[in-house]
Amino acid sequence: MSSQSEKGHAKNVANFTDLFNISKGFGSSYKPAYKELELAQVEPQLKEAEQLQKQLNDVSPSHTTAVARKDKAFELLDSRVTRALGIFAIGAPLAGQMRNAQTIANSIKGQGGKNYGKPKAAAEGEAAGKGRSNSHRSMDMRVENLYRLIAVFTDSGTYATNESELTLPSLTAYANELKNLSEAVVIAETPEADARKLRDAALYTDKTGLVDKGYAIKRYIRSAFGPESAEYRSVKHIKFSKPRKRK
């Protein structure tokens, strides 16, 4: 989820806090007939939303760091595959081996119209509750194809290089690193996705969520005190927003 979106969620919590505190200042004049708008009923919900937002803030950095490490490692993949393929060609492999290696290399680099090439950016919250996202599956396929390419090199018996990062053991270690980093993203993603789901339910559940409660409280103040009253003017500027629902 983008940092801008997260700011929007945190802003909703902060704005509701402002609305709550201003409404509390009205004292006994604030007396909605609907029990769910009573401040004593609303306060625990606000405290819960604040706690859930804090929990999400606490777990998000681990996921962000895991993604950054994975992305940095994957930046080297295309170049390393291209260089290794060139080394392989120098050894004069059999024509079928070279074609096979070229096809696999193209798949890794997203060439040749394959569906499992470079991953597209995952949509916000895409992996929440759905296992690995399309982006993760694409990353997994690139790593799997790297293992396949290494196997072709190995089976040929002709692959040889003095460049340390292109040796078969180094390429295998690199593939293992990519696999481990991708798995680390999934592991870090789970607590973040769970925390976001709980936070979103607290804020955006229809009618009972904090944002809809905020709208309802503002409507009550406008109706109870009047649209030109000092009470309504003190809360009129407080805004809430809901994320767009994906189709």
Side-chain angles (χ1 to χ4, degrees):
M1 179 173 288
S2 70
S3 59
Q4 189 60 43
S5 296
E6 283 304 332
K7 288 178 182 177
H9 302 306
K11 187 66 173 175
N12 280 332
V13 176
N15 284 352
F16 193 94
T17 300
D18 290 343
L19 178 62
F20 176 86
N21 288 332
I22 292 171
S23 300
K24 194 173 182 179
F26 297 155
S28 59
S29 297
Y30 181 91
K31 49 181 187 298
Y34 297 99
K35 190 175 183 65
E36 61 269 21
L37 298 186
E38 293 177 358
L39 298 181
Q41 297 295 318
V42 171
E43 186 171 17
Q45 191 174 356
L46 171 59
K47 296 300 182 183
E48 179 188 26
E50 290 174 338
Q51 181 61 32
L52 291 173
Q53 182 65 49
K54 182 181 182 302
Q55 289 176 2
L56 179 56
N57 292 342
D58 289 343
V59 299
S60 290
S62 295
H63 180 230
T64 301
T65 299
V67 170
R69 288 173 176 168
K70 178 208 66 179
D71 289 348
K72 184 174 180 61
F74 268 91
E75 287 176 359
L76 303 173
L77 180 55
D78 286 4
S79 173
R80 197 158 294 186
V81 166
T82 298
R83 294 171 63 202
L85 192 65
I87 293 293
F88 186 52
I90 294 172
L94 297 174
Q97 292 173 330
M98 191 66 211
R99 284 195 299 272
N100 191 19
Q102 184 68 66
T103 297
I104 296 171
N106 287 345
S107 297
I108 293 171
K109 294 187 289 183
Q111 300 169 3
K114 301 295 184 181
N115 291 328
Y116 44 80
K118 292 182 180 179
K120 296 180 180 179
E124 178 179 322
E126 181 179 22
K130 298 182 181 179
R132 294 195 176 210
S133 67
N134 290 334
S135 175
H136 290 140
R137 286 191 293 271
S138 184
M139 290 286 194
D140 291 344
M141 185 58 73
R142 295 182 79 196
V143 174
E144 184 61 30
N145 280 330
L146 179 57
Y147 282 122
R148 290 177 59 210
L149 185 62
I150 294 169
V152 173
F153 292 162
T154 302
D155 291 343
S156 73
T158 65
Y159 185 91
T161 181
N162 290 323
E163 283 66 41
S164 60
E165 71 273 18
L166 299 181
T167 65
L168 293 175
S170 291
L171 289 175
T172 300
Y174 178 54
N176 292 339
E177 178 189 8
L178 295 180
K179 181 179 179 181
N180 291 337
L181 288 171
S182 292
E183 290 176 351
V185 170
V186 176
I187 292 171
E189 186 177 66
T190 300
E192 183 187 41
D194 291 345
R196 180 177 292 112
K197 183 177 180 180
L198 291 171
R199 189 277 315 274
D200 287 353
L203 291 183
Y204 304 117
T205 299
D206 287 345
K207 296 183 180 179
T208 60
L210 209 63
V211 167
D212 277 359
K213 286 282 184 72
Y215 289 139
I217 289 173
K218 285 185 64 178
R219 284 194 296 270
Y220 163 71
I221 293 172
R222 187 179 190 276
S223 300
F225 298 100
E228 302 301 325
S229 65
E231 289 83 357
Y232 181 63
R233 287 199 302 271
S234 68
V235 301
K236 183 178 180 180
H237 67 284
I238 297 176
K239 305 294 183 183
F240 300 100
S241 62
K242 283 189 173 184
R244 284 183 190 172
K245 293 182 179 179
R246 294 195 303 275
K247 296 180 180 179

